[in-house]
Amino acid sequence: MFHRLGHFVVRRAWWVIAAWVVAMIAIAASAPKITAQTDEASFLPKHYESIQASVLQEKAFPASFTPSALALFERNDGAPMDASDKDAMAKIVQGLTDKKIEHVEKIIPAGEQSTSKDGKYALAPIAIDKATQQSDEFGETAKKLRDEGKALASGTNVKFQLGGAAAQALDQKESSGAADAVIALATLVLVVIIVGIIFRSVLAGLLPIVVSLIIAMPAANGLIAYATKAFNLESTPVLSAILIVVVLGVGTDYFLFLAFRYRERLRAGDDRKEAVANAVGRVGEAIASAAGAVTVAFAVLILSSLGMFKALGPALAIAVVVTAFASLTLAPALLAVIPARAVFWPGKKWMNEPKDARFLALGRMVQKRPALVAVASGGVLLALSAGALGYNGTFDLAGSSMPKDKESMVVQDKLVNGFSAGAADPSHVYLTSKSGGKLDPAAFDGYAAKLGAVPGVASAAPKPQVSEDGTTADFTVLLKNEPSSNEAIETLTELRDVAHAQVPSGTEAKVGGLTAVYKDINLAMSHDYKLVFPIAGLLILLILGLQLRSVVAPWYLMASVGLGFTATLGSSTLLFQNIKGEHGIMFMLPILIYLFVVAIGTDYNILIIARLREEAREGRSPREAAREALRHGGPTVAAAGFILAASFGTFMLAGNIFMLEFGFAMAFGIILAAFVMAMFFTPALTALVGRAAWWPGHGGDPGAGHDGHAPVGGPHGAHGLPETAGRR
């Protein structure tokens, strides 16, 4: 099938190129505009208590509001504020109110209750129209408030700073845009330089950019926008940066698979067009299988409880499919119309067969001592995996996704220092009558006292706000710890237990607020780990079984990739928690590690294991097959793994904690997948298992074809099995 595809592309190369350009422009130009979600609560299903509490608040207290922004006042010299400073604050708040900034509904003047105990800080809560929270207008409103507030504070002794959700959305967007630019530029430069060095060519380094970034990326973005709108999916701010690296990194991998084999066929004597067609025929199945594994791993995220992953999974799956299709059609078409000497210019030895002495030496080592290699490489993975036992997840997504010097983060830190750490985002316990009758106020004091006695609670308001119909009461609860901290989430767990167990007769309670949202995200993640991981693993296992026609090899391949996951998580935990001293790493990191490392790690295993099978079918013993697979497939895996790891490593340049953790984890996971699993662990295990690795197929029977009969030569190589790594 892939050989026929190769000949089709070669015969109609210019038509294929034109079709891709026209399709890309049409899709990108007509795609709907999608706004990323920044509200954590919007990613949770409605059956979680925090969401139910939010709905109850809107129904019972339509006039009340959770501040969308917080104006923080302090003296320029850091001293406690005096009467003249308080007058200045009042004038600033009134000035902002008089500006009638669009979407600003209410600004509450800073009073005694909103002044810190040391008198250095004062807060003015600001309500912004909730309808703008999932649009660009939310951040734009914060920008207007921030600019106008600073202008009004100019010439006074008072400093005006804006924090809260709207300010965080604004700062996060600005940080994300800068981070995306840094990541895109760094990734692009890395790909051009590294691919250029590998092939000693200028044009070879630019072709992956043309295929992936210039053509596939806009087309994928457009299709993602269509799918997001058609299926009412969420969109997440982290998608754009991840998408850049996935499309360019995976696209470069697939280009390398094709280019190595294209160069090999030229060395074997094929003319340019026949070399392209044969290259597609020989690596097509490997690219399709590798892309299938990655696509499945991402697509399974649609089963997640969290909208964040529901958004990320399908989007990345679409991007991988588009990139793979471009790699199998557009890239060969470009190679078919560009003279080979131009592709590999200015290199002069590209037609000479290199000796690959280093990879031959690795192959001989695995051939002679497969047990030692398996134990050593497996031991490294197990040792690193031990670090995962100390993993601790954190939920401060806003604080982790932008630099600490951003104004909203500075405000957040000052709130922690000047007020109760939970004052910026209090929790709320909503007490409701089951019968629809009015609540008895006599029970309020006792109930509030029980809530306030929960360890980790700073205070619980004894006199709650009561709805107009008297059926619902809102008890404001301040926690001692910052709302997104694990300590606050643990307190929230016990607060819920007490709130539910100690309700007055005939009532029920719902606990809401930001900390309650994080608690429910934690519960949703636990659900996803039990559902998404196994389903993704089983589907990838099925793809491996179909690719290898075996029920034995896929199991130890998946076991090795599973070790790669735990080793990556363990390494990240050791680095950021034990060495760097962070109290935890981002809660979403394990599932991202699992999906990226399992999927892409399987790609490299597919390349090596398919070459092992091919060498075994040509009559070599299992140990000889391991030697030859590393000799010929090793350079491809090493080049692809190095480029993808370097691409993910660019995330560490983004300047925030989440990108630093994500970049390190992905880069290190890819290094483990390519240079430990694919280079050592997988071929050593296959050499030890022997011909049984291919049962019930005939992969290990010398001279056996797919049906057990003698093979015939053909465009797909010996036995019709597509080769997966070029002989260099």
Side-chain angles (χ1 to χ4, degrees), residues 9 41 43 54 142 187 247 289 297 335 338 341 378 468 480 487 497 533 557 605 643 676 698:
V9 169
F43 290 108
S54 177
T187 303
V247 170
S289 298
L335 291 175
I338 301 173
R341 290 189 179 278
E468 288 186 5
K480 292 180 180 179
E487 293 81 5
D497 291 340
F533 282 17
L557 288 179
N605 272 337
I643 289 175
V676 178
H698 301 282

Side-chain angles (χ1 to χ4, degrees), residues 357-446:
R358 286 166 295 188
F359 292 98
L360 178 58
L362 289 177
R364 285 174 175 167
M365 181 176 68
V366 174
Q367 176 189 11
K368 293 177 180 178
R369 299 179 178 86
L372 177 62
V373 171
V375 169
S377 55
V380 169
L381 296 174
L382 283 171
L384 292 174
S385 296
L389 298 174
Y391 163 75
N392 185 38
T394 60
F395 292 82
D396 185 10
L397 183 58
S400 297
S401 57
M402 68 181 94
K404 292 296 184 183
D405 59 355
K406 284 292 183 180
E407 186 168 318
S408 58
M409 293 295 97
V410 173
V411 171
Q412 180 172 291
D413 289 340
K414 289 181 178 179
L415 288 175
V416 171
N417 294 329
F419 300 84
S420 164
D425 233 309
S427 294
H428 295 267
V429 178
Y430 298 99
L431 192 66
T432 307
S433 170
K434 288 182 179 180
S435 63
K438 291 188 176 182
L439 297 171
D440 180 8
F444 290 169
D445 286 347

Side-chain angles (χ1 to χ4, degrees), residues 165-210:
Q168 289 178 356
L170 172 64
D171 291 342
Q172 192 172 46
K173 181 179 180 181
E174 292 177 350
S175 298
S176 176
D180 288 358
V182 170
I183 291 168
L185 180 61
T187 303
L188 188 149
V189 170
L190 278 171
V191 169
V192 170
I193 292 176
I194 297 172
V195 175
I197 290 174
I198 289 171
F199 290 104
R200 297 175 178 83
S201 164
V202 174
L203 187 56
L206 295 175
L207 284 176
I209 305 299
V210 173

Side-chain angles (χ1 to χ4, degrees), residues 243-552:
L243 200 62
I244 293 168
V245 174
V246 167
V247 170
L248 190 52
V250 171
T252 302
D253 273 5
Y254 298 159
F255 176 80
L256 287 174
F257 302 164
L258 182 70
F260 272 126
R261 188 50 61 103
Y262 170 59
R263 187 174 64 177
E264 178 202 342
R265 296 313 307 166
L266 290 172
R267 288 169 175 169
D270 292 354
D271 64 35
R272 183 177 79 237
K273 293 188 176 181
E274 191 62 27
V276 172
N278 280 335
V280 175
R282 296 177 183 227
V283 300
E285 186 176 343
I287 291 176
S289 298
V294 179
T295 301
V296 162
F298 290 153
V300 170
L301 284 176
I302 196 69
L303 302 176
S304 171
S305 299
L306 293 170
M308 182 183 303
F309 294 125
K310 282 181 181 291
L312 197 60
L316 293 178
I318 290 170
V320 171
V321 170
V322 172
T323 304
F325 189 54
S327 301
L328 290 171
T329 55
L330 178 60
L334 290 171
L335 291 175
V337 300
I338 301 173
R341 290 189 179 278
V343 171
F344 298 109
W345 181 86
K348 298 179 179 179
K349 298 181 179 180
W350 58 274
M351 283 295 287
N352 298 334
E353 189 79 25
K355 297 179 180 180
D356 286 330
R358 286 166 295 188
F359 292 98
L360 178 58
L362 289 177
R364 285 174 175 167
M365 181 176 68
V366 174
Q367 176 189 11
K368 293 177 180 178
R369 299 179 178 86
L372 177 62
V373 171
V375 169
S377 55
V380 169
L381 296 174
L382 283 171
L384 292 174
S385 296
L389 298 174
Y391 163 75
N392 185 38
T394 60
F395 292 82
D396 185 10
L397 183 58
S400 297
S401 57
M402 68 181 94
K404 292 296 184 183
D405 59 355
K406 284 292 183 180
E407 186 168 318
S408 58
M409 293 295 97
V410 173
V411 171
Q412 180 172 291
D413 289 340
K414 289 181 178 179
L415 288 175
V416 171
N417 294 329
F419 300 84
S420 164
D425 233 309
S427 294
H428 295 267
V429 178
Y430 298 99
L431 192 66
T432 307
S433 170
K434 288 182 179 180
S435 63
K438 291 188 176 182
L439 297 171
D440 180 8
F444 290 169
D445 286 347
Y447 188 61
K450 292 173 182 176
L451 297 177
V454 173
V457 170
S459 66
K463 294 182 179 180
Q465 181 183 2
V466 180
S467 62
E468 288 186 5
D469 61 7
T471 62
T472 304
D474 174 8
F475 293 83
T476 299
V477 179
L478 297 184
L479 305 182
K480 292 180 180 179
N481 298 293
E482 198 274 323
S484 64
S485 66
N486 287 317
E487 293 81 5
I489 293 170
E490 291 174 6
T491 299
L492 195 284
T493 303
E494 189 166 349
L495 178 64
R496 272 186 177 170
D497 291 340
V498 172
H500 296 158
Q502 301 297 327
V503 291
S505 178
T507 64
E508 61 180 356
K510 300 287 184 186
V511 181
L514 184 62
T515 306
V517 169
Y518 288 135
K519 170 62 181 176
D520 289 339
I521 287 177
N522 202 3
L523 294 173
M525 288 292 295
S526 297
H527 168 270
D528 289 353
Y529 289 146
K530 296 173 184 176
L531 178 68
V532 174
F533 282 17
I535 292 177
L538 285 174
L539 290 175
I540 293 174
L541 188 71
L542 178 62
I543 289 174
L544 286 172
L546 293 173
Q547 161 76 7
L548 300 174
R549 287 87 170 172
S550 166
V551 297
V552 176

Side-chain angles (χ1 to χ4, degrees), residues 75-206:
R75 282 179 61 97
N76 289 318
D77 59 8
M81 290 182 287
D82 56 26
S84 63
D85 298 324
K86 293 177 182 179
D87 290 341
M89 285 191 300
K91 289 180 181 178
I92 294 170
V93 170
Q94 187 59 49
L96 283 174
T97 302
D98 294 341
K99 294 286 184 182
K100 298 186 184 302
I101 296 173
E102 189 177 7
H103 306 304
V104 174
E105 297 177 334
K106 187 188 302 182
I107 305 177
I108 307 297
E112 293 299 327
Q113 292 184 341
S114 58
T115 301
S116 63
K117 293 180 180 179
D118 60 9
K120 293 183 178 181
Y121 304 104
L123 287 174
I126 302 173
I128 298 176
D129 183 5
K130 291 182 179 180
T132 68
Q133 287 188 3
Q134 303 310 324
S135 70
D136 291 337
E137 293 174 331
F138 194 51
E140 290 169 3
T141 302
K143 188 176 190 311
K144 292 176 184 176
L145 281 167
R146 182 176 283 171
D147 292 343
E148 294 291 351
K150 291 183 184 299
L152 289 167
S154 177
T156 71
N157 291 326
V158 175
K159 181 190 295 184
F160 175 94
Q161 292 177 290
L162 193 72
Q168 289 178 356
L170 172 64
D171 291 342
Q172 192 172 46
K173 181 179 180 181
E174 292 177 350
S175 298
S176 176
D180 288 358
V182 170
I183 291 168
L185 180 61
T187 303
L188 188 149
V189 170
L190 278 171
V191 169
V192 170
I193 292 176
I194 297 172
V195 175
I197 290 174
I198 289 171
F199 290 104
R200 297 175 178 83
S201 164
V202 174
L203 187 56
L206 295 175

Side-chain angles (χ1 to χ4, degrees), residues 50-76:
S50 59
I51 306 303
Q52 294 174 354
S54 177
V55 172
L56 179 59
Q57 180 208 9
E58 293 180 5
K59 180 180 178 182
F61 306 100
S64 68
F65 70 94
T66 299
S68 299
L70 292 168
L72 178 72
F73 297 96
E74 63 176 315
R75 282 179 61 97
N76 289 318

